[in-house]
Amino acid sequence: MSELLIIGAGGFARETAQAVRDAGEAKLLGHLDDNRALHGTEVDGVPVLGGCDLVHDLPDARVVICVGNPRDYAARARLVRRLNLPPDRWATVVHPTAAVSATSRIGPGSVLLAHCVLTAAVRVGAHVAVMPHVVLTHDDVVEDYVTIAAGARLGGGVRLARGSYLGSGTLVREGTTVGAWSQIGMGSTVLGDVPPGEVWVGSPARRLREAAAPALDEQARRTMGGQTV
C-alpha cells in the first residue's frame, strides 16, 4: 500500500482525506500545512505533520495538493511550482463512488470526490479539483488547475481552460469554453464562451468584472496570454 501526504488542512483537504480512507488504497500519513498553529494537531483524526516543504523529507510518499478557495483559486498552481516535485510524486485521488468511464482520463494530482460522473472520453488535467456530484459529459476537456465546485453540470464538448473556477451548481452549455483563470459564480448558467480572466455570474451568466488578485498571480496572468503556469 502506497503512502500519501495531503497538502493543506482545510475543508477540501479534509474531504480528500475522507475519500482516501473510503477508497482504502493508500496509507494516509497526514496533512502538511504552513499554518504553524496546526502543527502537531489532528484534523478529523489525521495528524498535521508540519509545513508543506516537509514533502522533501518524505521522498517515498506520494502527494496531492488540496488548497484553494474562491478568493484564491490559483493557490494550487503556486504550490506546485514551489514544491517542484517530479511527476511520479503526484497522486490521483478518486472517491470509490465516482463513476469514471473507461474512455476518460484523469491527470496527476487531481481529486474527484463522491458521486462525480465522467461519462465518455472526458479529459481531466493535472491538479484539478472536482467536488461532489459534478457531471462531466462526453468529450469535455478540463485543463490543469481547474476547480469545479459541487453540483456543477457540463454539456458535451465543453472546455474549461487552465485555472478556471466553476461555482457550486454551475450549468455550462455544450460546446462552450470558459477562459483561463476565469471564475463563474455559483448557480450561474453559462450559455456562451467566457473570455480569460473574468468573473461571470447569473442566469444567463454575464460579465461582472475582471478576476481580482490574489486569485490571479503574475504567472497566472501570463497564462492568459498563452504561456504556462
Side-chain angles (χ1 to χ4, degrees), residues 60-83:
D60 294 330
R62 303 189 74 195
V63 182
V64 63
I65 296 179
C66 298
V67 301
N69 58 61
R71 294 173 298 281
D72 186 10
Y73 51 95
R76 286 197 306 283
R78 291 197 300 272
L79 270 170
V80 169
R81 293 198 306 270
R82 170 182 146 190
L83 297 177

Side-chain angles (χ1 to χ4, degrees), residues 14-108:
R14 294 167 56 204
E15 292 172 327
T16 301
Q18 188 60 56
V20 171
R21 288 182 287 195
D22 289 348
E25 297 176 353
K27 178 182 179 182
L28 181 56
L29 296 182
H31 296 277
L32 302 181
D33 196 289
D34 287 335
N35 182 355
R36 292 180 177 273
L38 295 176
H39 297 175
T41 68
E42 290 188 349
V43 179
D44 297 339
V46 180
V48 181
L49 303 175
C52 298
D53 292 318
L54 190 60
V55 293
H56 301 297
D57 297 328
L58 298 164
D60 294 330
R62 303 189 74 195
V63 182
V64 63
I65 296 179
C66 298
V67 301
N69 58 61
R71 294 173 298 281
D72 186 10
Y73 51 95
R76 286 197 306 283
R78 291 197 300 272
L79 270 170
V80 169
R81 293 198 306 270
R82 170 182 146 190
L83 297 177
N84 194 29
L85 296 176
D88 61 0
R89 288 290 306 275
W90 299 117
T92 299
V93 175
V94 179
H95 193 277
T97 63
V100 180
S101 68
T103 56
S104 296
R105 299 290 181 268
I106 306 167

